[in-house]
Amino acid sequence: GQNIDQPTEMTATEGAIVQINCTYQTSGFNGLFWYQQHAGEAPTFLSYNVLDGLEEKGRFSSFLSRSKGYSYLLLKELQMKDSASYLCAVDGGATNKLIFGTGTLLAVQP
Amino acid sequence: DTEVTQTPKHLVMGMTNKKSLKCEQHMGHRAMYWYKQKAKKPPELMFVYSYEKLSINESVPSRFSPECPNSSLLNLHLHALQPEDSALYLCASSLGLAGGGNEQFFGPGTRLTVL
């Protein structure tokens, strides 16, 4: 089966660091995406990990461990505009599908 | 041009109506997707087109009918919908199919309400 888990909601303070975890068990795996989605808007691409390790891109970093079926998204120097849903999605390989996790709603407070 | 456009932005329809959602991209992408998204839930895949041919149909009811007239356009024809079909319908495109690490670019969506 396909199972991708994320915390449902998280709250953090402006200027702080927050880590959003994602664990997955899928029949195929060719990489993992993170998308950001503001309420009522389209998901936008944040990162893609295919190899183990940390990928850094400005205030956002994403980590992958294929052996553990685990990824996280790290957001630094949080801003109010970072309040959004964060979707972890597995590239299902031969299934030709992007399998989305349940999403994490992040609220950044002043 | 690096965006996916969708029309209309909002649509209200009755259960006996026939309507169509439209999606367009000019990035040369050969894979296009329809997703349905309910509030506070992740997108659910409905259909995948690859090189203008239907590649995946996720057991979607026949009241939803996709069409890919050419490599830039994707339509979703709606007929005899139910109130539970009310949702945000997202179109996406990618250079190739998932399985090759191809990032999907999403359109802004059509907010559909079925009365």
Side-chain angles (χ1 to χ4, degrees):
Chain A
Q2 318 280 39
N3 197 37
I4 303 176
D5 285 321
Q6 303 178 234
T8 306
E9 295 181 359
M10 296 183 73
T11 303
T13 305
E14 198 175 10
I17 299 173
V18 71
Q19 178 174 312
I20 302 175
N21 295 325
C22 170
T23 56
Y24 63 89
Q25 287 178 304
T26 56
S27 54
F29 182 87
N30 211 42
L32 189 143
F33 290 90
W34 283 96
Y35 281 85
Q36 179 191 60
Q37 187 176 26
H38 286 99
E41 297 182 12
T44 54
F45 170 82
L46 290 176
S47 68
Y48 174 63
N49 293 69
V50 62
L51 300 175
D52 286 359
L54 188 68
E55 296 271 347
E56 296 187 74
K57 198 185 285 187
R59 294 190 298 116
F60 291 19
S61 303
S62 56
F63 172 84
L64 176 68
S65 168
R66 293 178 71 137
S67 61
K68 294 182 180 176
Y70 168 68
S71 173
Y72 68 73
L73 181 70
L74 194 70
L75 292 77
K76 301 176 189 174
E77 300 168 20
L78 279 172
Q79 301 175 9
M80 299 299 290
K81 67 178 182 179
D82 297 329
S83 295
S85 281
Y86 290 85
L87 298 161
C88 163
V90 169
D91 180 334
T95 64
N96 287 323
K97 296 178 190 177
L98 202 57
I99 307 156
F100 283 91
T102 47
T104 298
L105 182 61
L106 173 67
V108 179
Q109 297 179 338
Chain B
D1 189 351
T2 57
E3 64 171 358
V4 177
T5 58
Q6 288 186 245
T7 55
K9 284 194 170 183
H10 301 274
L11 178 62
V12 179
M13 60 187 290
M15 290 189 283
T16 57
N17 292 157
K18 282 186 182 181
K19 296 285 185 184
S20 296
L21 308 185
K22 296 187 184 303
C23 173
E24 192 165 358
Q25 57 87 14
H26 295 286
M27 294 179 278
H29 289 176
R30 304 316 298 261
M32 295 186 77
Y33 311 79
W34 280 115
Y35 290 88
K36 173 183 176 180
Q37 187 176 26
K38 296 283 237 181
K40 298 187 179 181
K41 297 287 186 184
E44 293 174 43
L45 183 65
M46 299 174 72
F47 302 103
V48 181
Y49 272 82
S50 175
Y51 288 86
E52 298 151 54
K53 287 188 167 45
L54 185 62
S55 172
I56 296 175
N57 176 342
E58 289 286 91
S59 303
V60 178
S62 59
R63 58 186 184 269
F64 295 90
S65 175
E67 179 198 17
C68 191
N70 61 54
S71 59
S72 299
L73 293 173
L74 186 66
N75 298 323
L76 186 63
H77 303 297
L78 315 172
H79 174 54
L81 294 193
Q82 304 296 311
E84 59 264 29
D85 296 322
S86 298
L88 181 69
Y89 287 84
L90 293 164
C91 174
S93 72
S94 60
L95 193 60
L97 286 172
N102 291 293
E103 174 193 343
Q104 292 187 20
F105 292 75
F106 286 84
T110 294
R111 175 73 60 189
L112 174 67
T113 303
V114 182
L115 301 176

